[in-house]
Amino acid sequence: MTDYVASLWQDIHDSDEIPQEFVNKREEVLQRLSLFSEETNQIDELLNDESVVSNLRSDKVANLKFLEQQHGVTVEMVDMLYDYGRFQYSCGSYADAAHLLDQFRILSTDNDKASSASWGKLAADILTTNWEVVMEEINKVKDSIDTKLFNNPLAQLEHRTWLIHWTLFPYFNYEPARDNITDTFFSPSFINTIQTNCPWILRYLAAAVITNRSRIRNTGAYQKQLKDLVRIVRQEGYEYHDPLTDFIKALYIDFDFEEAQRTLGEADEVLKGDFFLSSTAEAFVEAARHLISESYCKIHQRIDIKDLSARLGLNQDEGEKWIVNLIRDTRMDGKLDYKEGTVLMNHPANSVYQQVIERTKGSFFRTSVLRAQTDENVSAAVGK
């Protein structure tokens, strides 16, 4: 990292020479690295020895006692792994930092430091873009928040807020992780955190739900996600909104198609300028057009192709192809009249039983959220 700072200084000042302070700093860093390496060499070799590792158990206290009696390992030597890992992280050696912090977690009985090491390893893995390992670490941190902080609701809220923001890196850079974002963010504890502490995350949740349209084969599951998103956008509209949530509001709450078309254009600009969402802009606009078309077709019986094409920002020929593909993909009951330039939709009425089923499904999520909140309040009261 010192070399990187020195190279930046050279670029800024257009100079080939490196100031002495950077040379001195580099030598100091190398000396500290050498010292750390010598002091942690023994414990590092032990943890890479299969005969030693095979004798370790899930009980950290017993493991530390075994290593102390058989190999002379002390608590100070274990803590040195933590310090060495932090120093490697500050030097920009993220892979080495992740390795050292992981070794520290295996042996340390200090819960606070072990928690800090978990966050450090997660950060190091994110910076090395090792997304598969990142997803594993996210699950470990999530479990740690649920189990080790169960009697401290405020700490849980803070840690979940951090985790929500950190998970944006794998969720929008690693394709297999994209399916997990909605499951995680819609879970009762995380959706409560978003609504309480970081409502701006609704932008990313909205983008994930809308772009997941082509990813989720289960239409019922997708419709449930969409309904939950609409409900949350409605609830949080007084506190946070942006072009993405405004699009949801215009389309599914106000049923204002002109406003939905306008906000879709604004959302496209926002997506292209967002660090995490820039790569999803095209997929979002494509999926949003499908949603506009579906909603428009559901509430109109006779649709003018020219008018619908204009609402989608397409010319008439493109609009005809779009509508034909939409009817085929969604299996809507509609007929295209090329002479009149219209589409005739057949809308069978939902039975009373189906309406009851849909309302029951919607109440399940609200009941889960209420139960989770009640459990947290009871735990907090017992802890006091």
Side-chain angles (χ1 to χ4, degrees):
M1 193 63 72
T2 304
D3 293 337
Y4 176 67
V5 174
S7 67
L8 287 179
W9 188 95
Q10 289 178 303
D11 293 339
I12 293 171
H13 296 85
D14 193 21
S15 172
D16 294 331
E17 297 183 358
I18 299 177
Q20 188 61 36
E21 62 179 304
F22 291 116
V23 175
N24 295 338
K25 182 66 176 177
R26 186 176 191 277
E27 293 177 355
E28 179 185 344
V29 169
L30 291 175
Q31 289 176 0
R32 291 193 64 185
L33 285 173
S34 177
L35 180 62
F36 274 124
S37 180
E38 291 176 3
E39 293 181 346
T40 60
N41 182 60
Q42 178 186 352
I43 194 169
D44 183 57
E45 289 180 352
L46 288 173
L47 292 176
N48 288 319
D49 188 337
E50 288 295 332
S51 62
V52 175
V53 174
S54 62
N55 288 311
L56 298 180
R57 301 292 180 264
S58 58
D59 187 346
K60 292 184 178 182
V61 175
N63 290 338
L64 198 56
K65 187 176 181 180
F66 163 74
L67 291 173
E68 183 179 2
Q69 293 176 347
Q70 300 296 325
H71 304 282
V73 174
T74 63
V75 174
E76 290 73 18
M77 293 171 64
V78 174
D79 288 340
M80 190 63 66
L81 289 172
Y82 178 80
D83 295 334
Y84 191 16
R86 290 186 61 183
F87 190 71
Q88 287 281 25
Y89 184 91
S90 66
C91 291
S93 300
Y94 303 118
D96 293 334
H99 174 69
L100 290 164
L101 292 173
D102 188 40
Q103 288 185 326
F104 171 79
R105 286 190 310 181
I106 294 173
L107 300 177
S108 177
T109 56
D110 187 329
N111 290 332
D112 291 337
K113 274 192 172 182
S115 175
S116 179
S118 294
W119 284 101
K121 185 176 186 307
L122 175 58
D125 289 330
I126 288 173
L127 290 168
T128 57
T129 65
N130 192 352
W131 300 125
E132 291 184 6
V133 176
V134 168
M135 295 305 299
E136 294 175 3
E137 288 300 316
I138 286 174
N139 290 328
K140 290 180 181 178
V141 172
K142 192 189 304 182
D143 292 340
S144 175
I145 294 172
D146 293 336
T147 56
K148 296 181 180 179
L149 298 175
F150 69 93
N151 60 345
N152 191 343
L154 181 59
Q156 282 188 324
L157 178 65
E158 292 176 348
H159 282 69
R160 285 192 183 115
T161 302
W162 297 340
L163 185 60
I164 285 169
H165 288 79
W166 289 30
T167 55
L168 296 179
F169 287 96
Y171 285 157
F172 290 103
N173 287 283
Y174 181 52
E175 192 67 22
R178 193 73 60 85
D179 297 331
N180 295 332
I181 182 171
T182 49
D183 294 335
T184 300
F185 286 2
F186 275 126
S187 63
S189 57
F190 278 85
I191 198 63
N192 283 340
T193 301
I194 292 172
Q195 292 179 285
T196 303
N197 227 26
C198 49
W200 50 86
I201 296 296
L202 288 177
R203 168 188 293 186
Y204 303 98
L205 183 56
V209 170
I210 291 176
T211 54
N212 273 357
R213 180 186 177 278
S214 59
R215 299 171 59 86
I216 300 179
R217 296 182 179 180
N218 188 336
T219 305
Y222 180 74
Q223 290 300 322
K224 181 181 182 305
Q225 288 183 0
L226 197 56
K227 287 180 180 179
D228 290 340
L229 176 63
V230 172
R231 176 180 54 80
I232 294 166
V233 167
R234 187 200 301 269
Q235 291 176 352
E236 300 302 317
Y238 73 96
E239 187 170 5
Y240 176 81
H241 70 93
D242 63 18
L244 276 75
T245 60
D246 288 343
F247 170 76
I248 298 294
K249 179 177 181 293
L251 185 59
Y252 290 106
I253 299 175
D254 299 334
F255 298 101
D256 187 336
F257 292 98
E258 286 78 9
E259 180 67 10
Q261 180 187 355
R262 186 186 67 80
T263 55
L264 179 58
E266 294 179 356
D268 186 30
E269 294 299 320
V270 169
L271 289 165
K272 290 177 179 177
D274 190 285
F275 177 82
F276 295 105
L277 301 177
S278 57
S279 62
T280 66
E282 185 176 343
F284 179 91
V285 172
E286 183 78 8
R289 283 175 174 167
H290 273 279
L291 295 177
I292 291 175
S293 304
E294 289 177 9
S295 298
Y296 195 83
C297 292
K298 284 179 181 178
I299 63 176
H300 292 82
Q301 188 169 8
R302 188 183 184 89
I303 301 168
D304 185 273
I305 295 176
K306 185 177 181 180
D307 178 60
L308 180 57
S309 300
R311 295 181 188 279
L312 297 174
L314 304 171
N315 60 43
Q316 188 164 353
D317 291 338
E318 292 174 337
E320 286 183 3
K321 294 178 182 178
W322 179 276
I323 293 170
V324 169
N325 292 333
L326 176 69
I327 293 174
R328 182 189 64 221
D329 295 341
T330 59
R331 297 181 181 178
M332 288 183 176
D333 189 0
K335 295 181 179 180
L336 194 63
D337 188 337
Y338 287 101
K339 291 183 179 180
E340 297 293 331
T342 59
V343 179
L344 298 177
M345 304 299 301
N346 181 29
H347 300 299
N350 286 336
S351 67
V352 175
Y353 302 104
Q354 186 63 34
Q355 294 179 31
V356 171
I357 291 172
E358 291 298 324
R359 289 182 179 274
T360 303
K361 288 180 179 178
S363 66
F364 176 77
F365 179 82
R366 293 192 293 272
T367 304
S368 299
V369 172
L370 181 61
R371 179 178 178 179
Q373 186 62 48
T374 303
D375 290 343
E376 288 185 4
N377 292 339
V378 171
S379 299
V382 172
K384 292 180 180 179

